[in-house]
Amino acid sequence: MKTKVILILGITTLILALVSACGSNNSNPLGGCNGLSYAEAFQGDQYQDLIDATSTFGEEQTAQSCEVYKSELQEWYGVLQGLSSDCIGVPQEQYQQSLAEAQESIDEIDCSQYESN
């Protein structure tokens, strides 16, 4: 399972790198990507909750910590899904493909294997 955790963290890091192009120089009158600036995305509660869940799951691989981790990944996916591809600076098709691959990775997490822990 550590491989899956590393894979998901890698995908998350890749998406985070893509998001790094987002900033206040965006032409959006709200000052960011669909009203959400780059800084706001990474200072928000959802990002910190994901970091906390990842840490907890890494330390305590139980069904409950896995479910929380998977839920937080899904929440963070929602944040990333809300950003426009223009903000991130990649073609829409490429961004949607990255999001689809991230969703598949989240869906593949099977927390039932930790029920005995």
Side-chain angles (χ1 to χ4, degrees):
M1 181 61 188
K2 287 186 181 189
T3 304
K4 281 189 179 184
V5 171
I6 292 170
L7 174 65
I8 300 236
L9 289 176
I11 290 170
T12 302
T13 302
L14 175 62
I15 292 174
L16 297 178
L18 292 173
V19 173
S20 67
C22 178
S24 61
N25 61 355
N26 187 309
S27 61
N28 186 323
L30 296 174
C33 304
N34 296 337
L36 180 69
S37 73
Y38 170 73
E40 291 169 334
F42 295 98
Q43 293 176 0
D45 290 340
Q46 289 172 319
Y47 182 67
Q48 186 58 50
D49 290 347
L50 174 59
I51 298 300
D52 294 343
T54 301
S55 177
T56 300
F57 181 57
E59 294 170 7
E60 306 168 15
Q61 293 189 352
T62 64
Q64 182 180 5
S65 66
C66 178
E67 290 294 341
V68 171
Y69 171 66
K70 186 174 181 177
S71 174
E72 292 302 332
L73 280 172
Q74 193 64 54
E75 290 289 324
W76 183 245
Y77 172 85
V79 170
L80 296 177
Q81 190 177 32
L83 299 175
S84 74
S85 66
D86 293 336
C87 166
I88 297 169
V90 297
Q92 178 70 22
E93 184 177 308
Q94 182 180 355
Y95 187 56
Q96 291 302 317
Q97 179 63 32
S98 295
L99 286 174
E101 290 171 7
Q103 184 63 62
E104 286 175 17
S105 295
I106 294 168
D107 291 342
E108 288 176 359
I109 297 173
D110 179 13
C111 294
S112 66
Q113 65 182 330
Y114 299 103
E115 288 179 2
S116 62
N117 294 348

